[in-house]
């Protein structure tokens, strides 16, 4: 066995070990489907928890159609979900932790929410203004 084969075998064994650890740690998908009336991907986990996720919150699925999400394949004993029409894969443990995309993706979603305008947000700003606006900083200023 040459050096490259040894490295590949070591990497293969390490990947299998990580996979076994993930299967033990869970949580894993017991079932998954797209719920057309609510427009959400519904994942039932092996620990009894159900996730109902709007596809727009998942990086790469924001423009997926109901037909794209109609077929979901559970892979790797529940560790992954595959959407054949999108050629997209989701890692279930990350979904269970609320990791729906990269940090940049999540930041962009938060920024969109922060600049959104709604009657409720406008009313909250008015109430805050009547109370004197943003509270003053409690940090002590350094002596000059």
């Amino acid at each position: 066995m040459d050096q490259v084969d040894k490295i590949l075998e070591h990497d293969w064994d390490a990947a299998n070990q990580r996979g076994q650890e993930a299967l033990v740690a869970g949580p894993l998908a017991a079932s998954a489907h797209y719920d057309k009336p609510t427009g959400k991907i519904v994942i039932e986990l092996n620990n009894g928890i159900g996730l109902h996720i709007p596809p727009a919150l998942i990086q790469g699925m924001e423009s997926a159609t109901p037909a794209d999400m109609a077929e979901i394949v559970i892979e790797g004993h529940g560790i992954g979900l595959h959407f054949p029409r999108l050629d997209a894969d989701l890692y279930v443990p990350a979904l269970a932790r609320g990791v729906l995309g990269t940090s940049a993706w999540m930041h962009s979603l938060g920024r969109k929410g922060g600049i959104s305008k709604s009657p409720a947000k406008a009313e909250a700003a008015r109430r805050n203004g009547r109370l004197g606006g943003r509270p003053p900083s409690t940090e002590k200023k350094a002596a000059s």
Side-chain angles (χ1 to χ4, degrees), residues 96-111:
R97 287 190 304 267
V99 180
L100 305 172
T102 63
S103 294
W105 169 255
M106 299 309 290
H107 176 74
S108 73
L109 286 179
R111 203 166 91 227

Side-chain angles (χ1 to χ4, degrees), residues 116-123:
S116 70
K117 296 177 183 175
S118 71
K121 189 172 179 180
E123 176 57 29

Side-chain angles (χ1 to χ4, degrees), residues 16 19 41 45 52 57 65 67 71 99 121 130 136 141 143:
N16 279 328
I41 298 168
L45 302 175
H52 297 241
L57 295 181
T65 66
E71 183 183 355
V99 180
K121 189 172 179 180
R130 284 192 294 266
K141 295 189 179 191

Side-chain angles (χ1 to χ4, degrees), residues 9 13 18 26 42 45 47 49 62 64 72 89 112 117-118 127:
E9 185 175 322
D13 291 342
R18 287 191 307 274
V42 178
L45 302 175
N47 60 7
I49 293 173
E62 60 273 14
I72 303 173
D89 297 288
K112 285 179 188 174
K117 296 177 183 175
S118 71
R127 279 195 315 269

Side-chain angles (χ1 to χ4, degrees), residues 6-40:
K6 287 180 184 177
I7 292 169
L8 290 174
E9 185 175 322
H10 176 266
D11 289 350
W12 178 263
D13 291 342
N16 279 328
Q17 179 64 35
R18 287 191 307 274
Q20 291 301 317
E21 290 167 3
L23 287 174
V24 170
L28 306 172
S31 68
H33 70 277
Y34 176 70
D35 184 54
K36 202 169 187 177
T38 63
K40 294 180 180 178

Side-chain angles (χ1 to χ4, degrees), residues 3 25-26 36 62 69 74 88 109 111 115 120 124 132 139:
Q3 188 65 22
K36 202 169 187 177
E62 60 273 14
M69 294 176 287
I74 297 173
L109 286 179
R111 203 166 91 227
I115 62 173
E139 293 179 21

